[in-house]
Amino acid sequence: MLLLPGTAPAVSVTKIPATCSNVGTIGTVNWTQNSKAIKSDDSYAVANATGTATKYLECVNYGFSIPSGAIINGITVLVERKSSSATGSQDAAVRLIKGGVYGSANRATTSVYTTSDLTESHGGATDLWGDTWTATDINSSTFGAAFAATKSSSSTVSVDVISITVDYTVDTTDRKSTRLNSSH
């Protein structure tokens, strides 16, 4: 790989949340055992969807430490989930949370959930979800993801973890001038 002066390779960092909670701003079905959606360990946050959407499972405080001045290239939300039934369970909404506020971009898919754990990606390495992002936004304890599911009939939806990957490039253009100025 050839790097020009002042450029740096893209970095990809994945983190898991510190907290997840049930937030009632979309559907009517509650999530239970919310704290279990913070790591991939086959211990689940669950919602018994009965023909309607769940409330949001809101996960925040991912503990990112993106360097100041980094250029955010894209954000991917990875939802590891399953359903008790192989028919009809799917996303109702997947949104990013910036400064405690839900973004307008909804990256829900129409994929039908399987009865075994499957991780589905929402967003991507070059997807900014219709917003502008700084390292401060990503590093904030109020940055996160909100996920809701729906089912046409009775089914239990289980979420093992909602992780987030941030792709960024470190801006090295100022480092050269800083080194030159510090040597005088």
Side-chain angles (χ1 to χ4, degrees), residues 12 24 51 79 106 118 154 158 165 169:
S12 183
V79 181
N106 181 359
L118 179 73
S154 183
S158 303
T165 300
T169 306

Side-chain angles (χ1 to χ4, degrees), residues 15-180:
K15 296 280 190 170
I16 58 174
T19 60
C20 293
S21 57
N22 184 60
V23 178
T25 58
I26 187 171
T28 58
V29 177
N30 286 317
W31 288 94
T32 60
Q33 305 177 58
N34 308 324
S35 64
K36 293 186 176 188
I38 63 170
K39 63 183 174 178
S40 180
D41 61 357
D42 295 330
S43 182
Y44 303 92
V46 296
N48 293 313
T50 56
T52 186
T54 66
K55 294 180 179 181
Y56 278 117
L57 180 58
E58 178 183 286
C59 298
V60 294
N61 198 9
Y62 280 76
F64 282 100
S65 55
I66 308 294
S68 178
I71 300 162
I72 307 302
N73 301 321
I75 303 168
T76 307
V77 174
L78 302 135
V79 181
E80 184 180 342
R81 43 76 177 149
K82 67 180 181 176
S83 175
S84 62
S85 168
T87 58
S89 295
Q90 58 191 145
D91 299 346
V94 180
R95 299 183 187 281
L96 285 178
I97 304 167
K98 178 180 180 181
V101 177
Y102 289 26
S104 60
N106 181 359
R107 295 296 187 256
T109 70
T110 58
S111 300
V112 176
Y113 299 176
T114 60
T115 56
S116 57
D117 273 1
L118 179 73
T119 300
E120 185 172 34
S121 296
H122 306 272
T126 60
D127 187 350
L128 295 173
W129 299 61
D131 209 339
T132 57
W133 297 90
T134 66
T136 302
D137 296 329
I138 304 293
N139 296 340
S140 171
S141 63
T142 59
F143 169 73
F147 167 79
T150 190
K151 175 77 168 102
S152 57
S153 61
S154 183
S155 180
T156 300
V157 176
S158 303
V159 174
D160 200 3
V161 67
I162 299 176
S163 56
I164 296 179
T165 300
V166 176
D167 290 274
Y168 66 93
T169 306
V170 177
D171 182 4
T172 60
T173 55
D174 290 339
R175 289 185 182 177
K176 183 178 178 183
S177 63
T178 302
R179 279 194 309 264
L180 291 173

